[in-house]
Amino acid sequence: MNEQQRKQMSQIREANPADVKSDQDNLSRIKEKKSEDFIKYFETSYQPPSLKDAKKRGKEDVEVHYDFTIPEEMIGLGSGKKFMIRTYGCQMNEHDTEIMAGILEEMGYVSTNETKEADIILLNTCAIRENAENKVFGEIGHLKPLKTENPDLIIGVCGCMSQEESVVNRILQKHQFVDLIFGTHNIHRLPQLVKEAMFGKEMVVEVWSKEGDIIENLPRSRKGKIKAWVNIMYGCDKFCTYCIVPYTRGKERSRLPEDIIQEVRHLAAQGYKEITLLGQNVNAYGKDLDMDYGLGDLMNDIHKIDIPRVRFTTSHPRDFDDRLIEVLAQGGNLLDHIHLPVQSGSSDVLKIMARKYTRESYLELVDKIRTAMPNATLTTDIIVGFPNETDEQFEETLSLVEEVGFEAAYTFIYSPREGTPAARMKDNVPMEVKKERLQRLNELVNKQSAEAMKKYEGQIVDVLVEGESKKNPDVLAGYTERNKLVNFIGPKSAIGEIVKVKINNAKTWSLDGEMVEEAAEVN
Ligand code: SAH
Ligand code: SF4
Ligand code: F3S
């Protein structure tokens, strides 16, 4: 823990055990008094999170801790109580939710999907675009009546939005019924924070602007038994000019290879069929470790583990090296689907985005991948309407999408994020133009997806069956190695297995088929 974190922590009032009983008796009265108390508290000692501080990359080593425990007195705090966590962000956020659920379950809480039943509600937020933030503020508003009905309910806001001072200030000013705000580097402090919120008088705010260490042995309550996420690194040092993530998630920190491999082995032994290695920029894996070991080496080691499917996300084109391509080309459990965000097809726009590659170098990389893995499916992320993007520059994006032949793409209208360099740029592109561009791009992506799907008609594919289809319980649903959704008729016993399915009909975003054989041969 660094000096600043120590300082911030000391600002959080430790509940005095002697106060606890009387606090409990008087909880409702105290909660009414809360606003007076906390105004005093925030006027005297509160320090808001700071995106500016978050930007500084320290040289100090990241320590790995293996000694996480939940203090004895906090283990029973949740017994007979229920929790609900809403997740708004990316896979990493989803995985953080699994960790927080794991911690709460160890404290005795059980999960519920009903807001009315919950004793603690956490909103695990995302700051990537403005609409993600608006959704969260909408939800905070909806929760207010629940709090009025049940003053003992704990409402917490965590995730990437909590790292932004503007968000914390807005909650402090306008949503004082929120009990708890904590950041992405404070998840392991959840037991202490919940205790604080339960017995303390003020809103509990603990957001470390600088990243913490790596905590290895946090509990996890994984969402399913078939697919699992595995963090391989945290943070991002790329600082693309439009992006808030390097501020909300801190500097790049890689987990040690042996810890990752042990987790994957454990998942394999538990019967998981697919893992996804997670990081904001997984290709930077290992750069911060003092060893000559990168993502290619890690994938090569994981390749030898007996787990049928291994994916990874998200790749940055800049760090995608030959070693990784060579390892991926071995196939086996390493799947030939690569998600490779391009953001724009114009070298000029890429430059202002600080992506540090050009249209040409991206296309060269795609060529290399295609040469080594001729059947690889490529998907991408694209931003339209970056400040001052011209029609010609947008056309370059369309032509790149065609040239690469992406089979799917997440497409976004640029959203200014306070504190990032792009948010300070003047922008001459009207919103209607941005919307039109998005629509044209989506039409092209849909067309390419439909064409790729069409090729599967009549073919037999391996499908990892995840469960019943959302629309029809008589139909099963799962994904192919290249991540195509398949709906098919088959026995319920196929759930959790990899089976062969014959594709009869292709749609734009999914395939329909029938099972032709029980479990498929798995290498
Ligand atoms: N680390 C990943 C991206 C994480 S965010 C990567 O570099 O690929 C997921 C996607 O959100 C990005 O790829 C980008 O397309 C989009 N995005 C990020 N910031 C954005 C912003 N300010 N406005 C619109 N889209 C944004
Ligand atoms: Fe954001 Fe760029 Fe980092 Fe991706 S690589 S998280 S887009 S800064
Ligand atoms: Fe959103 Fe944070 Fe993920 S901003 S995309 S939840 S890293």
Side-chain angles (χ1 to χ4, degrees):
M1 197 191 303
N2 63 30
E3 199 41 44
Q4 186 201 359
Q5 289 165 353
R6 221 168 270 126
K7 215 163 87 196
Q8 283 183 314
M9 269 188 62
S10 68
Q11 288 164 5
I12 305 299
R13 194 184 67 92
E14 263 305 325
N16 174 352
D19 288 344
V20 164
K21 194 165 180 315
S22 60
D23 274 8
Q24 218 168 0
D25 295 342
N26 298 321
L27 196 58
S28 315
R29 191 175 55 78
I30 285 163
K31 298 263 165 173
E32 276 163 30
K33 255 186 72 201
K34 188 166 119 170
S35 83
E36 258 171 61
D37 287 331
F38 105 9
I39 289 167
K40 208 161 55 198
Y41 164 72
F42 283 101
E43 275 174 359
T44 51
S45 51
Y46 166 69
Q47 257 195 358
S50 153
L51 290 178
K52 247 197 194 132
D53 287 346
K55 187 171 182 193
K56 295 178 193 143
R57 304 282 108 146
K59 292 248 182 307
E60 65 277 1
D61 283 343
V62 170
E63 272 175 46
V64 186
H65 300 269
Y66 297 90
D67 55 355
F68 173 85
T69 50
I70 298 179
E72 195 85 26
E73 74 270 21
M74 293 170 203
I75 283 179
L77 277 186
S79 66
K81 294 189 177 149
K82 296 190 174 166
F83 73 93
M84 194 180 90
I85 309 179
R86 286 239 161 96
T87 314
Y88 294 84
C90 58
Q91 292 98 326
M92 232 153 299
N93 235 46
E94 296 253 6
H95 190 42
D96 285 346
T97 290
E98 294 183 334
I99 293 171
M100 293 191 284
I103 294 176
L104 291 172
E105 283 172 10
E106 287 203 357
M107 290 171 72
Y109 286 94
V110 293
S111 110
T112 175
N113 291 324
E114 293 289 326
T115 35
K116 284 218 160 81
E117 281 185 358
D119 300 278
I120 173 162
I121 298 176
L122 298 180
L123 305 182
N124 191 10
T125 63
C126 171
I128 202 81
R129 282 170 291 275
E130 196 183 353
N131 55 4
E133 298 207 348
N134 290 344
K135 259 194 242 161
V136 170
F137 278 112
E139 183 60 19
I140 294 177
H142 286 142
L143 293 178
K144 191 172 181 181
L146 286 177
K147 182 77 187 177
T148 322
E149 258 171 53
N150 173 15
D152 292 345
L153 169 67
I154 295 175
I155 297 178
V157 178
C158 55
C160 287
M161 277 170 71
S162 319
Q163 297 292 137
E164 299 177 281
E165 55 257 53
S166 58
V167 168
V168 174
N169 287 341
R170 181 164 160 190
I171 297 175
L172 290 174
Q173 279 160 16
K174 299 210 179 126
H175 307 283
Q176 289 184 6
F177 59 92
V178 168
D179 302 274
L180 172 60
I181 305 177
F182 60 101
T184 56
H185 309 306
N186 306 68
I187 288 177
H188 61 290
R189 299 253 314 138
L190 189 57
Q192 287 80 359
L193 297 172
V194 167
K195 182 179 162 195
E196 278 285 313
M198 222 176 234
F199 302 119
K201 297 183 179 99
E202 306 96 9
M203 187 192 295
V204 177
V205 184
E206 189 181 281
V207 182
W208 294 342
S209 295
K210 293 216 72 79
E211 60 286 335
D213 295 332
I214 292 180
I215 319 278
E216 267 307 328
N217 62 328
L218 293 168
R220 288 169 169 79
S221 177
R222 297 192 190 266
K223 223 163 74 188
K225 301 244 165 291
I226 303 169
K227 302 208 286 193
W229 284 303
V230 176
N231 276 126
I232 64 168
M233 60 184 302
Y234 305 95
C236 179
D237 286 344
K238 282 282 180 267
F239 288 102
C240 303
T241 52
Y242 51 82
C243 184
I244 194 79
V245 171
Y247 307 81
T248 62
R249 292 273 168 178
K251 75 172 177 188
E252 287 173 357
R253 289 151 288 151
S254 301
R255 286 177 72 195
L256 294 172
E258 57 266 33
D259 291 330
I260 298 168
I261 289 165
Q262 194 189 25
E263 185 176 343
V264 176
R265 284 219 179 96
H266 188 60
L267 290 166
Q270 286 176 292
Y272 280 89
K273 295 289 193 305
E274 178 176 310
I275 55 155
T276 303
L277 306 177
L278 288 183
Q280 282 301 344
N281 169 14
V282 284
N283 305 81
Y285 175 77
K287 287 191 168 174
D288 58 314
L289 297 173
D290 220 359
M291 41 209 301
D292 191 16
Y293 189 93
L295 183 65
D297 304 297
L298 180 68
M299 296 297 277
N300 198 39
D301 282 338
I302 291 177
H303 173 67
K304 297 171 197 148
I305 299 176
D306 187 15
I307 193 147
R309 291 182 171 191
V310 180
R311 300 185 193 276
F312 60 101
T313 198
T314 302
S315 282
H316 192 295
R318 166 87 182 179
D319 298 320
F320 209 108
D321 58 23
D322 293 351
R323 166 80 177 135
L324 178 62
I325 297 176
E326 172 197 315
V327 169
L328 292 178
Q330 298 174 79
N333 60 2
L334 309 180
L335 307 181
D336 50 6
H337 166 216
I338 296 172
H339 186 67
L340 193 62
V342 66
Q343 313 300 357
S344 166
S346 151
S347 293
D348 290 338
V349 174
L350 289 170
K351 188 159 191 203
I352 314 171
M353 286 177 163
R355 290 289 289 180
K356 300 191 179 79
Y357 55 84
T358 59
R359 175 193 177 94
E360 292 70 34
S361 64
Y362 185 90
L363 288 172
E364 271 167 34
L365 174 60
V366 168
D367 258 0
K368 263 199 228 170
I369 294 172
R370 287 257 151 84
T371 308
M373 306 161 71
N375 294 322
T377 285
L378 287 172
T379 57
T380 199
D381 292 353
I382 295 168
I383 297 176
V384 301
F386 190 74
N388 311 315
E389 182 190 55
T390 63
D391 278 336
E392 292 73 30
Q393 288 167 337
F394 171 65
E395 293 293 335
E396 286 189 81
T397 296
L398 292 179
S399 72
L400 181 112
V401 168
E402 277 189 305
E403 197 168 335
V404 177
F406 292 118
E407 294 186 13
Y410 294 104
T411 56
F412 311 100
I413 290 183
Y414 165 72
S415 170
R417 306 286 62 220
E418 200 183 313
T420 63
R424 293 190 291 274
M425 295 174 195
K426 275 222 166 73
D427 184 2
N428 63 12
V429 190
M431 187 44 91
E432 302 89 83
V433 174
K434 296 186 189 215
K435 285 188 180 159
E436 263 170 43
R437 286 181 189 166
L438 183 70
Q439 205 191 335
R440 279 187 63 199
L441 175 61
N442 286 345
E443 277 164 16
L444 177 62
V445 171
N446 289 354
K447 182 174 137 265
Q448 290 188 186
S449 173
E451 282 166 8
M453 290 302 205
K454 199 83 190 155
K455 293 196 185 127
Y456 284 95
E457 281 184 357
Q459 284 195 25
I460 292 174
V461 289
D462 287 347
V463 176
L464 172 54
V465 191
E466 293 190 14
E468 294 166 1
S469 119
K470 281 189 195 113
K471 288 185 202 138
N472 180 353
D474 295 331
V475 172
L476 297 179
Y479 286 86
T480 68
E481 291 187 352
R482 300 200 186 114
N483 219 23
K484 309 286 187 211
L485 173 62
V486 181
N487 292 304
F488 66 100
I489 309 285
K492 299 265 186 282
S493 59
I495 295 174
E497 302 296 329
I498 294 175
V499 299
K500 298 237 179 260
V501 175
K502 178 152 188 253
I503 303 303
N504 299 325
N505 184 28
K507 297 178 173 161
T508 304
W509 294 111
S510 65
L511 302 165
D512 290 341
E514 59 191 302
M515 198 168 124
V516 290
E517 200 185 292
E518 294 286 311
E521 203 43 39
V522 173
N523 55 72

